[in-house]
Amino acid sequence: MAGIYIHIPFCKQACHYCDFHFSTNLDMAEAMVSMICKELVQRKEYLPKDSTINTVYFGGGTPSLLNTSQLERILESVYQNYSVDLEELTIETNPDDLKKEKLGNLKSLGFDRLSIGIQSFNPEILKFYNRAHTSEESYSAIDLAKSSGFEKLSIDLIYGFPHQDHSIWKKDLAIAISQDPGHISSYCLTVEPKTALGNWAKKGSFTPASEDFSAEQFEMLQDSMEKANYIQYEISNFGKTNQFAVHNTNYWKGIPYLGIGPSAHSFDGKERGSNLANNAKYIKNLSDGINSFDIEPMSDEDLINEYILTSLRTIWGTDIGFVNSKLKMDFVLQKKRMLKQLEDEKLIAIQNDHILLSKKGKLLADSIAASLFI
């Protein structure tokens, strides 16, 4: 079992918080699609032998900017060059792209899961973030997606916007739950250096929310999702029964995946790697038959530490037996003191040979994982 991630590096405009790799110049879109198809052929031996592709995920950028023909060509290249038995086919979308005809075309191509980048239902915050859509388009996109037959819908929200109180976030949560998408992903607003927000913060014209303020909103998120029967199956992801994202879950469980497109990352089960994050160079390199993929060697300890970092974030937790078998050692014995401290502080629980974060521990997931690294 394996997955394919395809990075489409184009957006209508730059959101003020985003540091993902993308371009607002769509002139290279057609050439990019051709080179993505070429890379799919070039790297078809990357994944472990006899791998079957059970998930394909179009991310970005904004993949919904591509037309039906371009998406179809990429999918044909996947089907022609890989053993495919799809359990899930996802595309990230923006609300302003989801018109009735577009949704019908996506459905006809086999997409069964939409990830809609809403971020907020508040008009002023959308303007501040420089989002390309309005709150009205968010409501319309969700309604149209449902009426078009999409049963797997995920919406993205951002918390941690600095404000005098939590009223905006409470309203966003209430609206999101009332829309009943089935899956909600929510991330804290982060100020990255090479973004508009980063520049404003550096100049002193923007002051990020405090850690305590953001933590309070995260706890509100947890409580609201639990009351609405959403399961927090990963720190930032909440889904109703049978609505968990299969592709992303496979990431967290350490299942191999191939990343295609500029800046895309890959993991073959033994080592990681990434493509260069430059559209023009990516296209030229592939045109000239030059590899754009750089390998990042990983030791056994690196692999286990990454497994601890990702698995601990999930509802399934870190499998102690798996760690022991990989390291030929008694993990609990080696980390006895730290594990006891974390248990005493009620940050973790050990159940059925798995380490699980408590609700309180989920606020400190990364630091807890780091304390357990080999």
Side-chain angles (χ1 to χ4, degrees):
M1 189 167 68
I4 294 178
Y5 169 80
I6 297 166
H7 188 82
I8 306 299
F10 301 109
C11 288
K12 285 180 183 175
Q13 58 196 52
C15 297
H16 289 157
Y17 54 80
C18 183
D19 72 339
F20 289 172
H21 172 68
F22 68 93
S23 170
T24 55
N25 180 358
L26 301 180
D27 292 345
M28 288 188 276
E30 189 61 28
M32 181 63 69
V33 168
S34 295
M35 292 305 105
I36 282 173
C37 292
K38 187 170 183 178
E39 190 188 1
L40 280 163
V41 177
Q42 184 186 82
R43 297 186 60 208
K44 63 183 181 180
E45 303 301 326
Y46 174 81
L47 292 168
K49 191 177 180 182
D50 300 326
S51 291
T52 297
I53 303 301
N54 77 316
T55 63
V56 176
Y57 189 108
F58 283 71
T62 311
S64 54
L65 282 178
L66 295 187
N67 61 41
T68 304
S69 173
Q70 291 168 333
L71 291 169
E72 185 175 29
R73 283 164 53 199
I74 294 171
L75 286 170
E76 282 179 354
S77 189
V78 171
Y79 288 120
Q80 288 170 4
N81 292 283
Y82 298 83
S83 172
V84 179
D85 184 12
L86 278 189
E87 186 177 349
E88 181 184 85
L89 178 58
T90 304
I91 184 168
E92 291 181 355
T93 64
N94 276 346
D96 46 304
D97 294 328
L98 296 184
K99 309 305 180 191
K100 189 172 183 179
E101 182 181 2
K102 181 76 171 185
L103 285 159
N105 291 337
L106 292 175
K107 192 76 176 171
S108 70
L109 290 174
F111 287 98
D112 62 352
R113 185 173 184 274
L114 299 181
S115 177
I116 309 174
I118 286 174
Q119 318 312 354
S120 176
F121 291 94
N122 183 287
E124 295 307 313
I125 290 184
L126 290 176
K127 287 178 184 176
F128 180 83
Y129 287 161
N130 200 37
R131 295 293 292 168
H133 70 276
T134 64
S135 54
E136 288 77 17
E137 285 173 320
S138 294
Y139 297 121
S140 175
I142 294 170
D143 288 342
L144 283 172
K146 288 181 177 179
S147 64
S148 298
F150 284 94
E151 296 179 359
K152 291 184 178 181
L153 290 182
S154 178
I155 64 174
D156 285 358
L157 295 176
I158 294 176
Y159 65 90
F161 179 81
H163 191 61
Q164 62 186 7
D165 56 33
H166 298 308
S167 57
I168 293 175
W169 179 232
K170 285 180 180 177
K171 189 171 182 180
D172 268 349
L173 280 174
I175 294 172
I177 290 167
S178 73
Q179 295 298 303
D180 191 26
H183 189 284
I184 295 174
S185 299
S186 191
Y187 307 95
C188 186
L189 180 63
T190 305
V191 178
E192 303 292 350
K194 296 180 181 179
T195 63
L197 276 190
N199 290 331
W200 296 340
K202 189 176 180 180
K203 293 174 182 176
S205 57
F206 173 77
T207 303
S210 69
E211 286 188 12
D212 287 345
F213 183 88
S214 295
E216 287 168 6
Q217 294 203 340
F218 179 73
E219 290 173 326
M220 290 167 59
L221 169 69
Q222 289 180 301
D223 292 341
S224 297
M225 292 293 104
E226 187 175 350
K227 288 175 184 173
N229 297 316
Y230 283 79
I231 300 164
Q232 188 178 17
Y233 70 101
E234 194 272 343
I235 296 293
S236 302
N237 288 273
F238 302 79
K240 290 190 173 180
T241 305
N242 299 321
Q243 289 281 345
F244 298 177
V246 180
H247 184 86
N248 290 341
T249 297
N250 288 348
Y251 284 160
W252 304 317
K253 290 185 174 181
I255 291 172
Y257 64 93
L258 171 64
I260 298 293
S263 81
H265 287 244
S266 301
F267 176 60
D268 67 359
K270 296 179 181 178
E271 57 191 14
R272 292 205 167 276
S274 60
N275 286 345
L276 61 87
N278 183 300
N279 288 0
K281 287 183 180 178
Y282 171 85
I283 290 170
K284 186 175 189 311
N285 282 2
L286 278 158
S287 297
D288 295 341
I290 299 171
N291 185 18
S292 291
F293 180 70
D294 288 327
I295 294 173
E296 303 164 17
M298 300 179 74
S299 65
D300 290 343
E301 288 78 10
D302 291 335
L303 287 166
I304 286 298
N305 287 343
E306 182 166 284
Y307 168 72
I308 291 170
L309 181 68
T310 55
S311 64
L312 199 59
R313 293 176 62 89
T314 72
I315 196 173
W316 304 281
T318 299
D319 184 335
I320 294 169
F322 174 76
V323 175
N324 288 346
S325 67
K326 287 293 182 184
L327 292 178
K328 305 293 189 294
M329 57 172 273
D330 189 329
F331 178 73
V332 172
L333 184 62
Q334 188 190 51
K335 293 290 181 177
K336 184 177 180 180
R337 183 178 298 176
M338 179 53 67
L339 288 168
K340 185 178 187 309
Q341 180 183 328
L342 293 170
E343 281 188 293
D344 290 345
E345 293 175 5
K346 294 185 168 34
L347 296 174
I348 67 164
I350 299 178
Q351 299 173 1
N352 301 320
D353 209 32
H354 283 70
I355 304 169
L356 305 169
L357 290 177
S358 67
K359 192 172 182 180
K360 178 182 174 184
K362 288 172 183 173
L363 275 166
L364 305 166
D366 288 349
S367 61
I368 292 171
S371 72
L372 296 175
F373 283 171
I374 301 300

